[in-house]
Amino acid sequence: MSTLEEYLLILRSKGFHFGEDAIGFIYFGKQYTEASDVLIKTAIELTLKIQKEFDGSFYISLLESFKANGIEERSEALAYIQAKQILPLS
């Protein structure tokens, strides 16, 4: 399992380049919601899949939804997104 920093480097190697503002949002969301790296990485992944780019407000909204619904694991986050029909997952 990779750390958040390693995950961001992996995404960068795949062509996702985050500006300083996006990096700021990512770490702000982590601190603001006190979410684990697992949920932070999941929220980044879902934001990119749903929005087709990094949208800081959407990312923060996802994290807030996860926290409000007691979601702590990646599988719970994916099930939540699917149940809300935000992104049909296979």
Side-chain angles (χ1 to χ4, degrees):
M1 186 180 309
S2 61
T3 65
L4 177 56
E5 293 80 15
E6 291 168 337
Y7 182 70
L8 292 174
L9 290 173
I10 291 167
L11 288 176
R12 182 183 179 115
S13 74
K14 293 181 178 184
F16 293 100
H17 298 281
F18 298 99
E20 283 185 38
D21 57 336
I23 298 293
F25 260 105
I26 289 168
Y27 283 96
F28 169 76
K30 179 178 172 72
Q31 182 178 7
Y32 174 67
T33 61
E34 300 177 347
S36 67
D37 278 5
V38 170
L39 276 187
I40 298 297
K41 294 186 295 185
T42 302
I44 293 168
E45 174 190 346
L46 290 170
T47 298
L48 293 173
K49 283 183 177 178
I50 295 166
Q51 299 297 101
K52 307 299 184 205
E53 63 183 5
F54 185 79
D55 177 335
S57 61
F58 185 85
Y59 159 80
I60 296 289
S61 177
L62 273 180
L63 287 175
E64 289 174 329
S65 294
F66 294 163
K67 184 173 183 175
N69 289 281
I71 294 169
E72 297 182 8
E73 301 294 330
R74 175 181 167 77
S75 60
E76 294 171 322
L78 297 176
Y80 173 80
I81 292 298
Q82 190 173 24
K84 293 291 184 183
Q85 298 181 349
I86 296 171
L87 176 69
L89 301 172
S90 52

